[in-house]
Amino acid sequence: MNPALRAFEHTPVPITALPTATSLGLDEVERLEAVCLLRPGLCEFGRHSVRFAQYCGVLCIGERILEILPKIDRTDRTDRTDRGTADAAPAHDMLLRMLRVVHDLPSPPLGSGSHDLIRSPLIELFAGRFLAETMRLVKAGLLKSYVSRAENSATLRGRIDWPRHLRANAGRQDRAWCEFDELTHDVAVNRILVLALLHLRDWLVAPTSIRLWHELMAAFDGIAPARRDEIERLCLDRQSRRYAAALKWARWIIEGLSPSLRAGAATAPALLFDMNRLFERYVAIKLARQAPPGWAVECQHDDRHLARVLVGEQGSSPAYRLKPDLLVRRADRIVMIADTKWKRLERDRYGRVRPSTDDMYQLNAYATAFQECGELVLIYPCFDGLAADTLETTMRYELAGSSGSQSRRVHVAAVDLMDEVLRVRIGSSGDVLRRLAA
């Protein structure tokens, strides 16, 4: 397998006639353009470079894997391969940490020291999690189930299918068409894991992963790979629920490493994650887990509108539905409205952070619609030692026609993604967020 090409979000990757260790070849760019038709906004094409947006993960681009990582430092390092490799360690760690929380995946059972994170491509880390989860199932005992079978057998089993037997075995006494139930490992959940293992075969490099792959294939010997319709129809029951984490990785691997992608088909891969959505869900889950009793964190609350359309002389209908990312309640009272922003905060000359105009306009709409709530927060990721000398930033909306007591405070917060507990690293960010993310 050719080595993976590593890129960072919002950072340009050069385009050259032939692929190199740090650039995309023309054939790879054509495949990338085909994927962009189904995944709009994945990247922007320039004359001599490609700049990736907020999607992170892995993507097949022919004979190579392209891995796109979160950009967590402030410098462009596209011409420094050694530095880009070093930056991959915390980026890998952060992305995997967020995926574990949002998609309810277990903590990594394999070693995840910085040395391994620096040297391993992202597909190898994804594969390691899947292989380890699958090996855990093998050691605990693979699921078995009774499956109905029919065959022209020399031994009587179950019951004879007389119409079929008479058609196939007229005049023969050594054979009988039998229908019977057989207890077997060849069931849908195991077949899906086999299909994912086969997709991984060409992309593993680390000797540990290759050895584990061979051990698993031996454990699944005699089990056929799944068909597409089996994956789509699968529903887990009480017995198969322990397969949930492994099957989640398996589905991502099957979609992201599909052979049709390597052949150039325009299939949108499932191993790319929208960091805006991932960050929003990560913050919501963490705050909900840390919330005191009697508090609740809601996502995408959508029962308010910004305006009403006048209908006739007295009637009206709601328009411009508002969906704040996070809404925090204490009992029945809304105590905080928050929007998460997967963006890099910048400091002004006074050492304060300044959200963009669009971010402030959006929060102003929430302040207008949720006038019973006086605390609004913009939540950003904290990268790159930004918290060291940054001053707290709090602003105030003056609502038209309101007194000073009716003004709305806007707090700007940056949260640490490298800790098990979600903590505010910039600003006190108001009483509510301070209590939820101490």
Side-chain angles (χ1 to χ4, degrees), residues 195-211:
L195 183 60
L197 286 168
L198 293 175
H199 279 344
L200 274 180
R201 177 172 51 195
D202 296 333
W203 303 104
L204 298 177
V205 174
T208 303
S209 298
I210 294 173
R211 184 178 68 252

Side-chain angles (χ1 to χ4, degrees), residues 292-317:
W295 295 59
V297 179
E298 301 177 14
C299 291
Q300 297 289 320
H301 184 84
D302 63 354
D303 70 347
R304 303 290 178 96
H305 294 78
L306 184 60
R308 300 189 70 86
V309 178
L310 299 180
V311 180
E313 295 184 358
Q314 296 181 346
S316 64
S317 62

